[in-house]
Amino acid sequence: MLLVLGARLCCATAMAGFSVLNGPAVAQDYFAGKQIRIILPSSTVDTGYGLYGVLASQHLGRFIPGNPAVVVSLMPGGAGISSLNYIASVAPKDGTAIGVLAQEVATNQARHLSGVRYDATKFKYIVRVAPNVPVHMVWHSAPVKTIADLKTTEVLTAAVGVGGVHNDVARAMNALLGMKWKIISGYPGTNETRLSMERGETQGTVSPAILFKEQLKDWLDQKKVRVVVQYADFRHPLFPDVPAVVELAQDQEARDILTFMTSISTVGRGFAGPPDMNQQAYDIIRKAFAAMLEDKAYREDSEKRGAEILPMWGEEMSAYVNKIIATPKQIADRATAIAEGK
């Protein structure tokens, strides 16, 4: 069942965005009196998906002619698969439902996971507002200075749960690159993994790169931690001198496996509409997102809440997703086996 959160946006400043959308009169009326739902793949807004969904729900309407209501709807289930299936086959195609995509949208399809009934090549991609890049840090007392040192020196790293990025990419580095991460799995959350480092129980852990802009900035400034590798296929702007894990691959197979596993970082927090979405509605919403991401109030609100803005627009996002879906089966299978510790 969909849970709808949010309320109609105040229209006091709505006219400010209209100049961005200088279309025919019909465009001014298209969304008038309508409600746009932003579908989240989670049971709460207190997630990364929720952060970007709520921000959009509170700002996007100012840039859409007709000032429609914009609300957030929660659709948990299947680690994001339920919401993707809904967007693909049930959601209205008139622009009144768009999704914050689960970042595994492409890898789930490439792995032919049970329950996947969507075809991600057919979504109408609007924008990825920000990537979701994890970085691996080590405590200042750890016996390694760079990622290269992990080839000869073991480091105990704290990991949330038993799967996911905290575990999977470190396992892949061990299997493919000869690294010596000793993964201590089972921590309930990132606060606990970081605390374990501080207490000396472990020597490293994984954290979103964006947290080092504010929340963990003191750790870098005071040289309490060293960030040694990024779990992505590109270097995050906050860490231009820290290698992305795909750069460390010594052969094409390893590079392909690591690219596949870290593609979720690049997909990040993206918005898309259903297949065959009304083109006029798509154009209006895409222009509204473009205006919103440049808007001073939105950017200040994002900064205050710890969200970043590093957009990848629809065409590029679509091409990237299609590339990951086209990953050869043997690469996807090997990535899955490594993640499962096989």
Side-chain angles (χ1 to χ4, degrees):
M1 182 179 76
L2 279 176
L3 304 177
V4 181
L5 306 180
R8 186 174 181 84
L9 297 176
C10 174
C11 58
T13 58
M15 294 300 293
F18 282 12
S19 62
V20 182
L21 304 168
N22 292 321
V26 67
Q28 301 291 325
D29 300 329
Y30 185 88
F31 281 107
K34 295 182 180 179
Q35 180 187 84
I36 297 174
R37 292 179 300 138
I38 297 177
I39 312 298
L40 296 184
S42 56
S43 60
T44 173
V45 296
D46 296 325
T47 64
Y49 299 118
L51 172 62
Y52 290 89
V54 168
L55 276 166
S57 75
Q58 294 174 347
H59 291 271
L60 188 65
R62 293 188 287 119
F63 304 98
I64 299 178
N67 188 35
V70 182
V71 299
V72 168
S73 295
L74 306 179
M75 184 170 283
I81 292 175
S82 294
S83 66
L84 293 168
N85 287 339
Y86 174 85
I87 295 165
S89 59
V90 181
K93 302 179 186 301
D94 61 357
T96 58
I98 59 176
V100 180
L101 301 180
Q103 61 188 10
E104 298 86 1
V105 57
T107 54
N108 284 348
Q109 183 171 337
R111 293 166 61 198
H112 303 286
L113 286 192
S114 175
V116 170
R117 298 190 300 276
Y118 62 84
D119 181 354
T121 67
K122 295 182 179 180
F123 287 137
K124 292 285 286 186
Y125 292 95
I126 300 167
V127 63
R128 180 213 66 192
V129 175
N132 182 34
V133 178
V135 297
H136 214 137
M137 63 179 133
V138 296
W139 199 242
H140 62 88
S141 58
V144 297
K145 302 292 185 185
T146 68
I147 193 62
D149 296 334
L150 265 294
K151 289 192 172 185
T152 57
T153 305
E154 184 179 82
V155 170
L156 276 66
T157 182
V160 174
V162 295
V165 69
H166 280 235
N167 296 271
D168 298 351
V169 186
R171 289 185 185 124
M173 293 180 73
N174 289 348
L176 300 172
L177 307 178
M179 301 298 177
K180 296 183 179 295
W181 293 113
K182 184 173 181 179
I183 305 165
I184 311 300
S185 301
Y187 285 89
T190 55
N191 288 335
E192 289 81 4
T193 60
R194 292 196 290 266
L195 186 59
S196 78
M197 251 193 343
E198 291 185 278
R199 289 174 172 171
E201 298 168 4
T202 58
Q203 300 161 305
T205 193
V206 175
S207 178
I210 188 62
L211 292 189
F212 288 92
K213 187 173 182 180
E214 293 292 340
Q215 184 177 338
L216 300 180
K217 186 175 183 296
D218 285 348
W219 276 9
L220 285 180
D221 294 344
Q222 298 169 18
K223 302 188 185 303
K224 288 186 175 182
V225 296
R226 293 184 290 274
V227 174
V228 294
V229 66
Q230 309 187 51
Y231 289 161
D233 55 9
F234 69 99
R235 295 189 181 192
H236 191 282
L238 286 175
F239 295 101
D241 299 321
V242 176
V245 66
V246 295
E247 300 173 33
L248 306 176
Q250 298 298 306
D251 58 71
Q252 191 61 48
E253 181 182 47
R255 176 177 287 274
D256 290 346
I257 292 170
L258 291 168
T259 296
F260 182 81
M261 294 181 77
T262 61
S263 65
I264 61 176
S265 304
T266 298
V267 173
R269 308 311 184 204
F271 292 79
D276 300 318
M277 179 179 177
N278 177 280
Q279 187 62 44
Q280 182 185 20
Y282 174 80
D283 291 341
I284 292 171
I285 289 176
R286 179 185 166 113
K287 289 177 181 178
F289 266 97
M292 182 185 75
L293 295 186
E294 292 295 328
D295 178 63
K296 180 180 178 182
Y298 174 83
R299 298 180 78 88
E300 289 177 348
D301 201 6
S302 295
E303 178 83 13
K304 180 174 67 177
R305 301 192 200 190
E308 62 181 324
I309 303 171
L310 193 63
M312 173 189 285
W313 289 101
E315 294 84 358
E316 185 181 359
M317 190 179 177
S318 177
Y320 185 83
V321 167
N322 291 353
K323 181 186 79 168
I324 298 303
I325 291 172
T327 297
K329 184 177 184 300
Q330 66 269 24
I331 296 297
D333 288 349
R334 177 71 172 131
T336 299
I338 289 172
E340 294 175 348
K342 298 177 182 177

